[in-house]
Amino acid sequence: VVDVATPDSPAVVGRREIDAATQLLPCADGRHALVVCSATGFRWNSLPSAGSLRVVDLADPTDPRIVAKVALPATTAAVDGARAVVAVAPSRTEPAGLIPVDLSDPARPAVGRRVPFHDALPSRLLLHGDVVYGAAPYGNVWSLDLSRPDAALVPLRVPGGMNVGFGRSGDVLYVGTSWQGVVAFDLSRPDAPKLLGRPPSDRTLGYLKRRGRRLLRRDGSAVGRTVR
């Protein structure tokens, strides 16, 4: 736990070691956090991990305490209010899927029914009410309404490039990509998301890159650095 009251000199005030932790998500109450411990194979410095979720109580920042643990082959998760959704890897008996988790009582997380997932396992999730958005690094972004058992994935066709993250504000979903920058979708019709505007062409992006290099060289700010 890091105290950032003085941004110029952040201070570590508390610590709790959690094996295989890959993601920490604040809960709505401001007191707890959900930690994703991904399933991992054998590594030179640790034993294999089957994956789990941990709920950490941060009421005393100097002594963070684990108050709940749920065994799940988790890969990533998202939190909205007192709810979470977790992407889980396939097992010998079950396919990959999405599992909702109720965090109303952080000390007793309630695990919901697994929703089978038949696309590339997402590396990022965003939860907004009953709708979850997911993205694989080189796959499509998609949405899924968890309130409808028969709902199908709704794809959002994102222009080329690696998906690096996303967020939602109102009826607009913003997707960050490695090449096209930020791409926006109109979600006023959830079943038919619409791309807003037109991303710059490869030719325009190439021009901006060359122009930026020239400007940096001119004022000397790029000396000693590689501009990409």
Side-chain angles (χ1 to χ4, degrees):
V1 180
V2 181
D3 184 350
V4 293
T6 307
D8 293 339
S9 55
V12 176
V13 296
R15 187 187 304 271
R16 173 67 60 185
E17 292 189 9
I18 301 178
D19 291 339
T22 56
Q23 192 178 14
L24 183 145
L25 301 162
C27 296
D29 62 5
R31 170 177 170 171
H32 295 87
L34 181 69
V35 178
V36 177
C37 301
S38 295
T40 60
F42 178 82
R43 293 177 296 180
W44 70 271
N45 61 345
S46 65
L47 294 174
S49 168
S52 65
L53 298 177
R54 314 284 177 94
V55 180
V56 181
D57 187 339
L58 301 171
D60 179 0
T62 64
D63 184 27
R65 297 182 301 110
I66 297 174
V67 296
K69 176 181 177 180
V70 179
L72 285 175
T75 59
T76 187
V79 173
D80 182 30
R83 301 178 63 193
V85 62
V86 184
V88 293
S91 66
R92 293 181 179 180
T93 57
E94 294 183 282
L98 301 173
I99 297 181
V101 179
D102 185 347
L103 298 173
S104 299
D105 182 353
R108 297 176 179 80
V111 178
R113 178 182 60 86
R114 178 189 295 238
V115 179
F117 190 78
H118 302 291
D119 201 292
L121 199 64
S123 58
R124 293 172 180 81
L125 292 176
L126 172 68
L127 183 60
H128 185 85
D130 289 325
V131 180
V132 58
Y133 300 89
Y138 292 97
N140 286 323
V141 175
W142 46 260
S143 66
L144 180 66
D145 188 343
L146 296 175
S147 67
R148 296 171 48 202
D150 59 342
L153 293 182
V154 177
L156 289 80
R157 304 297 178 185
V158 179
M162 184 171 68
N163 303 317
V164 297
F166 48 13
R168 176 169 173 169
S169 176
D171 285 336
V172 180
L173 180 73
Y174 299 94
V175 182
T177 70
S178 60
W179 181 242
Q180 295 287 357
V182 177
V183 179
F185 289 88
D186 180 359
L187 301 178
S188 55
R189 286 189 55 194
D191 59 332
K194 181 180 179 182
L195 184 66
L196 291 174
R198 179 180 298 175
S201 66
D202 292 352
R203 184 175 179 179
T204 298
L205 289 171
Y207 166 78
L208 292 173
K209 184 177 180 179
R210 293 192 300 273
R211 180 67 175 167
R213 282 175 172 167
R214 287 198 294 270
L215 290 173
L216 287 172
R217 290 193 188 102
R218 186 178 304 167
D219 67 15
S221 61
V223 174
R225 297 207 314 268
T226 299
V227 181
R228 302 185 179 212

